[in-house]
């Protein structure tokens, strides 16, 4: 009598089961806007409350939290590695990125609510969105379910993060390597409509470059001498640095971009028309920025069983 299952049919069944399990694993590893709906239902309101309080106390903090997320995602993906010492102390980040205490406060509150559930990477992503909204920008849906890296890379931070001294071609190549179009790069650069920069990052521009408004140069040189004062601050958007609007692009047209990398977007090159368009259409900029932020937040996240949920955002478990 022949066996009830033949060897080929058993193998086929096993292959099907393995494929089904693989596909289920892939689906379960995808990001979702409802990821914490049952495991930590108050996660979004907790983060928003903390961000609103921090930005209300210091509007600049909104830009700092947005920048933390950007500096995280551009280095090996959105995995909260920027909060670990090796990346935090890398030259592009050391004495530059800030807002860690806000993230720590949020993490502590969430650990009390739902221990070991919410990743630091997701906190960074939501805090960035809530910071933009707190400064009157447009919100977006944040997909959740990222996990945290147990390692960081200072070298990757150096090689992946764009420099304030970048040329247009360098900016385009840098963002293109992360999958962004030129239009998305210009929209994301509009994040410089809020926040401030240190003198050391714009000194070469205000003393050596000619594509800059003379009165703007004079006003900046009073607070950023040719030597010394490296940490002195100036607003990235001289018009409205505490409001998430499109004035950044109008500043570029007036040759009042603070960083060399800013003014490169409007300097007789291929991105001039995009700057022109955003300068006259705030809604278009805010929408494109929000869409590009969704895309940025999905850069190589750790999901499923990869990575970990750090108990302390500043060190691996």
């Amino acid at each position: 009598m022949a066996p009830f299952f033949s060897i080929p049919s058993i193998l086929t069944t096993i292959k099907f089961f393995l494929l089904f399990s693989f596909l289920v694993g892939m689906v379960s590893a995808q990001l979702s806007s409802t990821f914490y709906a049952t495991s930590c239902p108050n996660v979004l309101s907790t983060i928003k409350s903390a961000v609103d309080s921090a930005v209300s106390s210091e509007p600049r903090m909104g830009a700092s939290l947005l920048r933390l997320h950007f500096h995280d995602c551009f280095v090996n993906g959105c995995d909260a590695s920027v909060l670990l010492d090796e990346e935090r102390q890398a030259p592009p980040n050391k004495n530059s990125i800030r807002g860690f205490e806000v993230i720590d406060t949020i993490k502590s509150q969430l650990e009390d609510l739902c221990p070991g559930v919410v990743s630091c990477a997701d906190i960074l992503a939501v805090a960035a969105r809530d910071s933009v909204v707190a400064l009157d920008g447009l919100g977006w849906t944040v997909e959740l379910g990222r996990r945290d890296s147990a390692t960081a890379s200072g070298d990757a931070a150096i090689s992946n993060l764009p420099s304030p001294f970048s040329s247009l071609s360098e900016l385009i190549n840098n963002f293109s390597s992360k999958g962004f179009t030129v239009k998305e790069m210009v929209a994301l650069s509009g994040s410089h409509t809020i926040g401030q920069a240190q003198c050391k990052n714009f000194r070469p521009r205000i003393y050596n470059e000619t594509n800059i408004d003379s009165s703007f140069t004079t006003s900046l040189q009073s607070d950023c001498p040719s030597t010394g004062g490296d940490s002195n601050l100036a607003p990235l958007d001289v018009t409205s640095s505490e409001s998430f609007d499109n004035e950044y692009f109008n500043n570029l047209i007036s040759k009042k971009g603070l960083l060399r990398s800013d003014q490169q977007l409007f300097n007789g090159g291929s991105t001039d028309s995009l700057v022109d368009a955003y300068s006259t259409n705030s809604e278009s900029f805010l929408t494109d920025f929000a869409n590009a932020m969704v895309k940025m937040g999905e850069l190589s996240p750790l999901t499923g069983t990869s990575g970990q949920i750090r108990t302390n955002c500043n060190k691996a478990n």
Side-chain angles (χ1 to χ4, degrees):
M1 178 182 295
F4 185 74
F5 288 111
S6 67
I7 295 300
S9 67
I10 292 174
L11 292 176
T12 299
T13 301
I14 291 173
K15 289 178 181 179
F16 175 80
F17 176 76
L18 292 174
L19 177 60
F20 177 78
S21 299
F22 173 73
L23 292 175
V24 168
M26 287 183 63
V27 172
S28 65
Q30 299 303 306
L31 301 180
S32 165
S33 62
T34 59
F35 188 82
Y36 298 110
T38 56
S39 60
C40 195
N42 294 323
V43 59
L44 295 181
S45 60
T46 300
I47 297 174
K48 184 179 189 305
S49 178
V51 169
D52 285 349
S53 176
V55 175
S56 177
S57 298
E58 184 196 3
R60 181 189 172 204
M61 186 55 69
S64 298
L65 293 173
L66 175 59
R67 188 164 179 252
L68 264 185
H69 181 45
F70 172 79
H71 278 230
D72 180 34
C73 294
F74 256 57
V75 182
N76 297 329
C78 307
D79 59 3
S81 58
V82 71
L83 303 176
L84 300 177
D85 273 348
E86 187 172 349
E87 277 184 32
R88 190 192 294 206
Q89 298 301 321
N93 293 329
K94 188 176 182 179
N95 299 321
S96 176
I97 53 174
R98 56 197 297 274
F100 303 107
E101 68 280 5
V102 179
I103 302 301
D104 290 344
T105 295
I106 294 170
K107 180 61 174 175
S108 177
Q109 292 173 349
L110 291 175
E111 284 299 302
D112 287 341
L113 286 173
C114 33
V117 172
V118 182
S119 69
C120 302
D122 276 347
I123 293 173
L124 288 173
V126 177
R129 186 272 309 276
D130 290 349
S131 293
V132 170
V133 173
L135 294 172
D136 302 320
L138 185 68
W140 57 91
T141 299
V142 178
E143 300 292 307
L144 301 166
R146 300 167 191 80
R147 289 169 65 84
D148 302 322
S149 171
T151 61
S153 172
D155 290 340
I158 294 171
S159 62
N160 283 273
L161 292 170
S163 163
F165 313 114
S166 293
S167 67
L168 179 59
S169 61
E170 287 170 336
L171 288 171
I172 291 173
N173 289 337
N174 185 275
F175 280 78
S176 176
S177 70
K178 304 298 179 184
F180 291 104
T181 66
V182 173
K183 186 176 183 179
E184 289 168 334
M185 181 270 288
V186 174
L188 287 172
S189 297
S191 63
H192 285 182
T193 191
I194 54 174
Q196 302 184 58
Q198 297 183 36
C199 168
K200 64 181 180 181
N201 290 324
F202 60 84
R203 178 185 287 118
R205 171 155 165 73
I206 65 174
Y207 285 98
N208 301 323
E209 297 188 2
T210 57
N211 60 340
I212 186 168
D213 178 83
S214 58
S215 61
F216 182 55
T217 301
T218 301
S219 66
L220 289 169
Q221 289 177 348
S222 64
D223 290 321
C224 182
S226 57
T227 57
D230 282 3
S231 61
N232 292 352
L233 298 171
L236 286 159
D237 174 353
V238 69
T239 306
S240 55
S241 65
E242 296 180 0
S243 177
F244 203 94
D245 53 30
N246 67 332
E247 285 301 319
Y248 166 81
F249 298 103
N250 286 305
N251 293 333
L252 298 185
I253 292 172
S254 299
K255 297 185 178 181
K256 294 180 180 178
L258 182 64
L259 305 178
R260 179 175 191 261
S261 57
D262 290 325
Q263 197 60 57
Q264 286 290 299
L265 301 182
F266 192 85
N267 194 38
S270 61
T271 54
D272 283 16
S273 59
L274 292 169
V275 171
D276 265 325
Y278 286 147
S279 73
T280 58
N281 192 329
S282 177
E283 182 179 351
S284 175
F285 160 59
L286 294 176
T287 299
D288 288 352
F289 178 82
N291 290 336
M293 285 298 294
V294 171
K295 184 173 178 178
M296 190 181 77
E298 296 176 356
L299 287 177
S300 305
L302 297 173
T303 58
T305 58
S306 299
Q308 59 184 232
I309 304 297
R310 287 188 218 140
T311 303
N312 180 335
C313 285
N314 303 314
K315 62 181 181 179
N317 294 343

